Amino acid sequence: STVDLVTKFPTNAIMKIEQFPKEMFDEKRYGPMEEWIKKNGRDWGRRTLPQKEPYQKWLKEVLEKLPADQNVFEITNEPWNKMSPEDFAEYAQWVLEVVKEVRPDAIVGPNLIGSTSEYKYDAAVYRAGGMKGMNMVALHPYAESEDRAWLRKYKAWLNEQSGHEMIVTVTEYGSHSAPEGPHKRSEEEQAVRIVGQSLALYAEDVAIIMPHTMGQREQTPTYHEDWFGLIRLAHQPKPALLGLATCARMIDASNYAGDLWFGPDVGANLFEKDGAYTLALFTREGAKNITLETDAQKLTLVDMMGKESAVEVKDGKLPLEVTTSVTYVTGLTAAIAKGASKELRADRWPQPEKAKRVTRSMKAFPTPPTLDGKFDEWKDMTQLSMMNPKVAGDDCSGFGYLAYDKDYLYVGVDMRDNQVLNTQPRTGLYRHDSLELFVSAEARDDNPGYGPNDYQFFITPTSAEGKPVVALLTERSSVSMRDLTEAKYSIVKTKIGWAAEVAIPWSVFKGFKPKAGEKLALEMRVNDADNSHERFCIDIEDAGGVKPHEPTSWAILKLE
């Protein structure tokens, strides 16, 4: 048990508080547990609120068993995929009451996304009162870990919202090494990414950084979630473990002194510890030749895996080749710090020009089509290529269709699929064969996140219920949805896969009036899973990868 672990093997830990005993399931609020599980899956402990008083009594008893030096508490794990912000805010305050009673000086706070948008989860939790009394936020940034400008902005926003200094911890970050499929990534690339993330988080003074260390199940070579570990299933260390250990040995307990400038595309983080300086050099792509100017006569180079080599400096200059694999330089004198700056230069990592937002057009049906799973009547309507270049066409590929009239938005997909499969509960429909339709009646370029005029629909060829599903997501965080009974549709299995034609009434989109010249933002994504592989995402060819959580990125759809 957790109590035994931290008692018998003393360690500094962040104690994550989530889930609750089965007998505390609130049937008055959610109905019988069996019925809830049948519809929503077995994750009741993370997706529902327990009975308050029994839960708080139980939680207090558990916390009192923990050693007194266990004093840092993270509330739940990624609640934005499980609970509405209002429910989570309520739960977080229940937890805070108990923690502060047992540990008055505790560091405690929720796991949040790390977004400052008023439409995103973090702001909604603040509005619902969930952050009252909190002094910490835990993040799981993964791909964003190296974005230091984002982290600075978010920390400033946290302090402003809270009215006091907030402690920021990172309790998950890292990278995977899936050997096959669309997410294929080598173990060496995994190591490079994790070390780069660690340097960035350390430089930005994150109080605690904890990489995704375990989870090396290796069950499916294409499923990246099975390959996040730093140790192989055979108990062999991966390069990432050695890279992380070297990074810790070189910079842990150091002070970040600033960045040096060697031109664009070169990272140069300078750290100081007890008067000794260590410079971490790296690129994000390819190799760069630089010249390090120093008054030191001899330096030591340490590569990402820990191998050391002594070098001599001639005439105060040392030529170096810098690559994506970090090189640490030690033996530098204090003079090196004179050129360091903690300002983030925008030209250090030049960004490609922002891709022009895709614009599509949609024609009107002169007469309502017959919904029969065939597409003869759609030949003059908007046709979209649905494909993923990393997924074989016979595995999953096809065409999407868009059209409208005064009453309905019409959406169709005709998919080639070698196995039509969806046995997931409502909360996991996206994991198997399904169409996700994203529509914004507030087409905009700023204020990211889901607002009141942004919609997500699920359409499946089959389901665990033994029938197709056509549903509207009513609350994204808890994945709550309702059957779209007002829609008309035909969903059929075909000789090569499955096809769907769906007519969604315009009345679903609050206040939107369809007429030529009006515009929406709209994207489609087909999910495909077989017994042989986990979910693949099949997007519209010109989308360049749909961003489901960002309506500001969806293609503009003009009505003709």
PDB file of all heavy atoms in Angstrom, residues 531-545:
ATOM      1  N   ASN A 531      -8.211  -5.194 -33.871  1.00  0.00           N
ATOM      2  CA  ASN A 531      -7.646  -6.091 -32.867  1.00  0.00           C
ATOM      3  C   ASN A 531      -6.126  -6.097 -32.929  1.00  0.00           C
ATOM      4  O   ASN A 531      -5.452  -6.430 -31.956  1.00  0.00           O
ATOM      5  CB  ASN A 531      -8.176  -7.512 -33.070  1.00  0.00           C
ATOM      6  CG  ASN A 531      -9.644  -7.628 -32.703  1.00  0.00           C
ATOM      7  OD1 ASN A 531     -10.145  -6.877 -31.869  1.00  0.00           O
ATOM      8  ND2 ASN A 531     -10.352  -8.551 -33.336  1.00  0.00           N
ATOM      9  N   SER A 532      -5.571  -5.695 -34.094  1.00  0.00           N
ATOM     10  CA  SER A 532      -4.117  -5.733 -34.283  1.00  0.00           C
ATOM     11  C   SER A 532      -3.422  -4.440 -33.862  1.00  0.00           C
ATOM     12  O   SER A 532      -2.205  -4.407 -33.748  1.00  0.00           O
ATOM     13  CB  SER A 532      -3.790  -6.013 -35.756  1.00  0.00           C
ATOM     14  OG  SER A 532      -4.289  -4.966 -36.581  1.00  0.00           O
ATOM     15  N   HIS A 533      -4.168  -3.356 -33.653  1.00  0.00           N
ATOM     16  CA  HIS A 533      -3.527  -2.093 -33.274  1.00  0.00           C
ATOM     17  C   HIS A 533      -4.486  -1.196 -32.523  1.00  0.00           C
ATOM     18  O   HIS A 533      -5.709  -1.317 -32.636  1.00  0.00           O
ATOM     19  CB  HIS A 533      -2.953  -1.365 -34.493  1.00  0.00           C
ATOM     20  CG  HIS A 533      -3.986  -0.855 -35.465  1.00  0.00           C
ATOM     21  ND1 HIS A 533      -4.756   0.270 -35.222  1.00  0.00           N
ATOM     22  CD2 HIS A 533      -4.365  -1.302 -36.692  1.00  0.00           C
ATOM     23  CE1 HIS A 533      -5.561   0.493 -36.254  1.00  0.00           C
ATOM     24  NE2 HIS A 533      -5.355  -0.444 -37.146  1.00  0.00           N
ATOM     25  N   GLU A 534      -3.899  -0.267 -31.759  1.00  0.00           N
ATOM     26  CA  GLU A 534      -4.683   0.732 -31.057  1.00  0.00           C
ATOM     27  C   GLU A 534      -5.108   1.825 -32.042  1.00  0.00           C
ATOM     28  O   GLU A 534      -4.828   1.770 -33.235  1.00  0.00           O
ATOM     29  CB  GLU A 534      -3.861   1.329 -29.905  1.00  0.00           C
ATOM     30  CG  GLU A 534      -3.430   0.322 -28.844  1.00  0.00           C
ATOM     31  CD  GLU A 534      -4.566  -0.091 -27.935  1.00  0.00           C
ATOM     32  OE1 GLU A 534      -5.609   0.596 -27.922  1.00  0.00           O
ATOM     33  OE2 GLU A 534      -4.402  -1.098 -27.212  1.00  0.00           O
ATOM     34  N   ARG A 535      -5.741   2.863 -31.523  1.00  0.00           N
ATOM     35  CA  ARG A 535      -6.335   3.921 -32.325  1.00  0.00           C
ATOM     36  C   ARG A 535      -5.345   4.612 -33.263  1.00  0.00           C
ATOM     37  O   ARG A 535      -4.264   5.022 -32.858  1.00  0.00           O
ATOM     38  CB  ARG A 535      -6.931   4.951 -31.367  1.00  0.00           C
ATOM     39  CG  ARG A 535      -7.434   6.224 -31.997  1.00  0.00           C
ATOM     40  CD  ARG A 535      -7.540   7.273 -30.913  1.00  0.00           C
ATOM     41  NE  ARG A 535      -8.159   8.497 -31.370  1.00  0.00           N
ATOM     42  CZ  ARG A 535      -7.983   9.669 -30.777  1.00  0.00           C
ATOM     43  NH1 ARG A 535      -7.207   9.769 -29.729  1.00  0.00           N
ATOM     44  NH2 ARG A 535      -8.580  10.750 -31.228  1.00  0.00           N
ATOM     45  N   PHE A 536      -5.721   4.738 -34.529  1.00  0.00           N
ATOM     46  CA  PHE A 536      -5.065   5.615 -35.492  1.00  0.00           C
ATOM     47  C   PHE A 536      -6.031   6.761 -35.799  1.00  0.00           C
ATOM     48  O   PHE A 536      -7.240   6.578 -35.829  1.00  0.00           O
ATOM     49  CB  PHE A 536      -4.740   4.896 -36.805  1.00  0.00           C
ATOM     50  CG  PHE A 536      -3.642   3.871 -36.719  1.00  0.00           C
ATOM     51  CD1 PHE A 536      -3.539   2.862 -37.667  1.00  0.00           C
ATOM     52  CD2 PHE A 536      -2.702   3.901 -35.698  1.00  0.00           C
ATOM     53  CE1 PHE A 536      -2.529   1.923 -37.611  1.00  0.00           C
ATOM     54  CE2 PHE A 536      -1.683   2.964 -35.627  1.00  0.00           C
ATOM     55  CZ  PHE A 536      -1.599   1.963 -36.590  1.00  0.00           C
ATOM     56  N   CYS A 537      -5.499   7.958 -36.053  1.00  0.00           N
ATOM     57  CA  CYS A 537      -6.316   9.122 -36.390  1.00  0.00           C
ATOM     58  C   CYS A 537      -6.230   9.379 -37.885  1.00  0.00           C
ATOM     59  O   CYS A 537      -5.136   9.515 -38.434  1.00  0.00           O
ATOM     60  CB  CYS A 537      -5.848  10.351 -35.616  1.00  0.00           C
ATOM     61  SG  CYS A 537      -6.028  10.200 -33.832  1.00  0.00           S
ATOM     62  N   ILE A 538      -7.371   9.451 -38.539  1.00  0.00           N
ATOM     63  CA  ILE A 538      -7.446   9.718 -39.970  1.00  0.00           C
ATOM     64  C   ILE A 538      -8.097  11.084 -40.144  1.00  0.00           C
ATOM     65  O   ILE A 538      -9.288  11.257 -39.870  1.00  0.00           O
ATOM     66  CB  ILE A 538      -8.274   8.637 -40.706  1.00  0.00           C
ATOM     67  CG1 ILE A 538      -7.872   7.232 -40.234  1.00  0.00           C
ATOM     68  CG2 ILE A 538      -8.152   8.797 -42.208  1.00  0.00           C
ATOM     69  CD1 ILE A 538      -6.439   6.861 -40.506  1.00  0.00           C
ATOM     70  N   ASP A 539      -7.327  12.069 -40.590  1.00  0.00           N
ATOM     71  CA  ASP A 539      -7.810  13.444 -40.690  1.00  0.00           C
ATOM     72  C   ASP A 539      -8.008  13.853 -42.145  1.00  0.00           C
ATOM     73  O   ASP A 539      -7.542  13.177 -43.077  1.00  0.00           O
ATOM     74  CB  ASP A 539      -6.823  14.407 -40.022  1.00  0.00           C
ATOM     75  CG  ASP A 539      -6.738  14.197 -38.515  1.00  0.00           C
ATOM     76  OD1 ASP A 539      -7.706  13.666 -37.935  1.00  0.00           O
ATOM     77  OD2 ASP A 539      -5.707  14.541 -37.930  1.00  0.00           O
ATOM     78  N   ILE A 540      -8.652  14.978 -42.319  1.00  0.00           N
ATOM     79  CA  ILE A 540      -8.788  15.544 -43.663  1.00  0.00           C
ATOM     80  C   ILE A 540      -7.398  15.868 -44.181  1.00  0.00           C
ATOM     81  O   ILE A 540      -6.561  16.429 -43.467  1.00  0.00           O
ATOM     82  CB  ILE A 540      -9.665  16.808 -43.622  1.00  0.00           C
ATOM     83  CG1 ILE A 540     -11.062  16.461 -43.082  1.00  0.00           C
ATOM     84  CG2 ILE A 540      -9.784  17.427 -45.014  1.00  0.00           C
ATOM     85  CD1 ILE A 540     -11.930  17.663 -42.823  1.00  0.00           C
ATOM     86  N   GLU A 541      -7.133  15.505 -45.430  1.00  0.00           N
ATOM     87  CA  GLU A 541      -5.778  15.576 -45.968  1.00  0.00           C
ATOM     88  C   GLU A 541      -5.157  16.956 -45.835  1.00  0.00           C
ATOM     89  O   GLU A 541      -3.981  17.087 -45.474  1.00  0.00           O
ATOM     90  CB  GLU A 541      -5.783  15.147 -47.437  1.00  0.00           C
ATOM     91  CG  GLU A 541      -4.399  15.027 -48.043  1.00  0.00           C
ATOM     92  CD  GLU A 541      -4.439  14.482 -49.450  1.00  0.00           C
ATOM     93  OE1 GLU A 541      -5.543  14.379 -50.028  1.00  0.00           O
ATOM     94  OE2 GLU A 541      -3.373  14.161 -49.992  1.00  0.00           O
ATOM     95  N   ASP A 542      -5.917  18.022 -46.089  1.00  0.00           N
ATOM     96  CA  ASP A 542      -5.324  19.361 -46.051  1.00  0.00           C
ATOM     97  C   ASP A 542      -5.326  19.971 -44.651  1.00  0.00           C
ATOM     98  O   ASP A 542      -4.896  21.097 -44.455  1.00  0.00           O
ATOM     99  CB  ASP A 542      -6.030  20.305 -47.036  1.00  0.00           C
ATOM    100  CG  ASP A 542      -7.496  20.565 -46.685  1.00  0.00           C
ATOM    101  OD1 ASP A 542      -7.958  20.066 -45.642  1.00  0.00           O
ATOM    102  OD2 ASP A 542      -8.173  21.259 -47.458  1.00  0.00           O
ATOM    103  N   ALA A 543      -5.787  19.213 -43.647  1.00  0.00           N
ATOM    104  CA  ALA A 543      -5.839  19.759 -42.290  1.00  0.00           C
ATOM    105  C   ALA A 543      -4.468  19.801 -41.639  1.00  0.00           C
ATOM    106  O   ALA A 543      -4.226  20.597 -40.736  1.00  0.00           O
ATOM    107  CB  ALA A 543      -6.797  18.939 -41.425  1.00  0.00           C
ATOM    108  N   GLY A 544      -3.583  18.913 -42.088  1.00  0.00           N
ATOM    109  CA  GLY A 544      -2.261  18.866 -41.470  1.00  0.00           C
ATOM    110  C   GLY A 544      -2.291  18.373 -40.041  1.00  0.00           C
ATOM    111  O   GLY A 544      -1.390  18.644 -39.258  1.00  0.00           O
ATOM    112  N   GLY A 545      -3.321  17.632 -39.676  1.00  0.00           N
ATOM    113  CA  GLY A 545      -3.464  17.148 -38.303  1.00  0.00           C
ATOM    114  C   GLY A 545      -4.450  17.992 -37.531  1.00  0.00           C
ATOM    115  O   GLY A 545      -4.177  19.144 -37.207  1.00  0.00           O
TER     116      GLY A 545
END
